[in-house]
Amino acid sequence: MPAPLERARLLLQTRRYEEAEAVLHQALAGTPGNSQAHALLALALYRQDQDEEALQQVQIAIGLAPDHAHHHYIRALILLDMEREAESMAAIREALRLDPTVTGYYGLLGQLYMQKRAWQQALEAAETGLQLDPEDVQCANLRAMALVKLGRLEEAGQTIGAALACDPENSLTHANQGWAMLHRSKPEHALVHFREALRLNPMLDWARQGIVEALKAHNVIYRLMLRYFLWVSRLTTSQQWGVIAMSSGALTALRTIVRQVPVLWIIALPLLLLYRLFAFLTWTARPLFALVLRLDPFGRLALPREEIVASNWVGACLLVSLVSLLLVLPLGAASLFADWPVVAPAFLLLSAAAFLLMMPVAGVFRRPPGGRRVILAVYTGLLGMVGLVAFLFALTGAAWGIGVGMALGMAFFLGWTLYSWLAFLLAMTD
Amino acid sequence: MEKVKEEIRIKIIHPIAHPEIYQAYGKSMGGGILMYGPPGCGKTHLARATAGEVQASFMAVGLHDVLDMYMGQSEHNLHNIFELARHTAPCVLFFDEVDALGAKRSDMRHSSMRQVINQFLSELDGIHGVNEGVLVLAATNAPWHLDSALRRPGRFDRVIFVPPPDQEAREAILRILLADKPTRHVDYPKLARSTSEFSGADLKGSVDTAVEDKLREAMKRGIPTPLTTQDLLAAIKGVRPTTQEWFETARNYAIYANQSGLYNEILDYLKLSKGPGLFSGSPFRGN
Ligand SMILES: Nc1ncnc2c1ncn2[C@@H]1O[C@H](COP(=O)(O)OP(=O)(O)OP(=O)(O)O)[C@@H](O)[C@H]1O
Ligand SMILES: [Mg+2]
């Protein structure tokens, strides 16, 4: 390797991406058309999150040396970072066609399959990689996570155990062990591994997410919800559709039966209420329990900023709801027995609206930042305004005011029901 | 900053100026100081200032020297540097961006790099010669990438945090930066207040921008006018302090990887509590 390229490679290794970029630009100015230099430059840019420019550089490298497998691998990495999974998949396939002996390529291939929720193919990719190098950490981890997703939790544990025996100082392996423990509903064990993962590499997001979940899972209710979340995360896309279809089918069936045999309401009502509560919690559990976690001195530090913001909003809704609910009784009594204006209905309305509003508010933060989140946020804001105006009308205490308030309350409720469809639609068209 | 300077005075400047006092207490000259902190906050600047103040020879080893070691006759190079320092003792050896030279050996895939790092460790120990009179100063903004072996006693046993300048220091830096420029009624305290979290380099960048804008204006109008507080505030507004990103990373290391207490100063700086349960040792090793 020529000296400037060697220098650039060392700079990349010592994480001096800007300097590497400068050296490579200089080298390319001196001797243009060196595919290695373009590929290294692509890597330097990719490390600085300049994906567009990185992609350009790697395209040049591929144009100069189309049968160099590693260039295609770098291209796949960049495309994956740009969330262009299909193209990334094509690129890594090309790399593997040119050189099927590189373990790392199978690791990336498997990672792409994991993103497509194709657990079986991911497992196969990992195992092919492991045949080439039985000690490859990336492929061992991939195999373990694919096994977790396939529900083969025991085998996953064994794989990770073996990987840890090989390299006990690997943060990714510890993080994966943590997640495997969460999937097995052992949050205490999970916590130990997440802590270790973060001790080894505090910047590992995968472990930071995990430690937050493990800490929240101290709470029994959240533990149950987490079980459900993780179960859903193991389903393939078509299985997820199946669950949605079956649950809505079961609901319709229940309603039809009850209409025929009204006595059964006694059983159906608690069931339906429980279902409603559960559905509500699938939206709000994360921020609600983030709120709980903030009482814990360590939990407070572990929570990412985003979750803190979400829990602030949801917590504000909850507070308004509880305070106004507490006001309903004394205010009602005051207007019955003393000469107070009739404001209790207004506060009852406010309490209900604020409570329901937690769901759309939590839903906003479930989406990654971007245009769709803004749509949901605006919709939620409008919904909140409708609720507030309804409250203000009802606060007049006059019959007409309460009437208008109730009507607006109905509009709020309708809008609230439509929200989940809107969110669903936005998620589908991703 | 004063704290860092004091540390350097005690560990480096005084022993060289008054060797007899230190000898009287049976304390030998040697060992090292590692400075770490966000970029542009004066680590390199401080080392250079030390070079001017100290009554000894001063040798600086930078990133590109280290890359040369990795590429060429690496081991000899490093050995020669230490030998030269021993011959010219008392001598201050300064390793800038030392994380390139003392990276975690487990992170280094190439054996040539690992060899150089091992060499660095043994030179610090003085295995290949006595290090009496050789004082080692090093700086990095990624202390977390350093091999923990570097912090053993006798190597870099003093690790100090170089924080971003506080309000007073920012005012002083701004005064220095603007000393030779045409200004009128500059409200330094106000500027210092509106540049919290700015590094020295960020301040320098802001002043440069303000000057450039002023020059452009002067070219257009044909009349040069002095810099005002407003001009500087406008330039400051366009700068996002570069220390923020560094502290986001540092915060994570301080929360999760502070088992040895290495990042206590960062916890203090960020006003995070050192509560129980945060730093319980690794369950997998005996620490
Ligand atoms: N406390 C300070 N007093 C005076 N000047 C300062 C101070 N801090 C920084 N500067 C100025 O800011 C610029 C950058 O400082 P320096 O190169 O020493 O930073 P550094 O900490 O070594 O950064 P890096 O970690 O990026 O190497 C220099 O021009 C220096 O003069
Ligand atoms: Mg420096």
Side-chain angles (χ1 to χ4, degrees), chain A residues 108-171:
Chain A
L108 187 55
L109 179 68
Q111 201 182 329
L112 280 160
Y113 277 128
M114 288 296 277
Q115 293 216 341
K116 284 177 71 181
R117 309 178 79 83
W119 318 135
Q120 187 61 42
Q121 278 124 312
L123 181 67
E124 279 158 22
E127 285 180 343
T128 319
L130 285 170
Q131 273 166 16
L132 290 169
D133 176 7
E135 297 202 348
D136 186 75
V137 178
Q138 194 197 3
C139 283
N141 274 299
L142 192 67
R143 176 166 191 270
M145 286 330 279
L147 287 168
V148 165
K149 295 290 188 183
L150 286 164
R152 290 154 67 178
L153 299 176
E154 286 294 320
E155 278 171 271
Q158 283 162 12
T159 304
I160 300 176
L164 277 180
C166 261
D167 180 6
E169 295 274 274
N170 189 288
S171 57

Side-chain angles (χ1 to χ4, degrees), chain B residues 40 43-45 94 96-97 139 141:
Chain B
K43 298 182 291 295
T44 307
H45 177 82
F94 173 53
D96 205 357
E97 315 208 31
N141 49 33

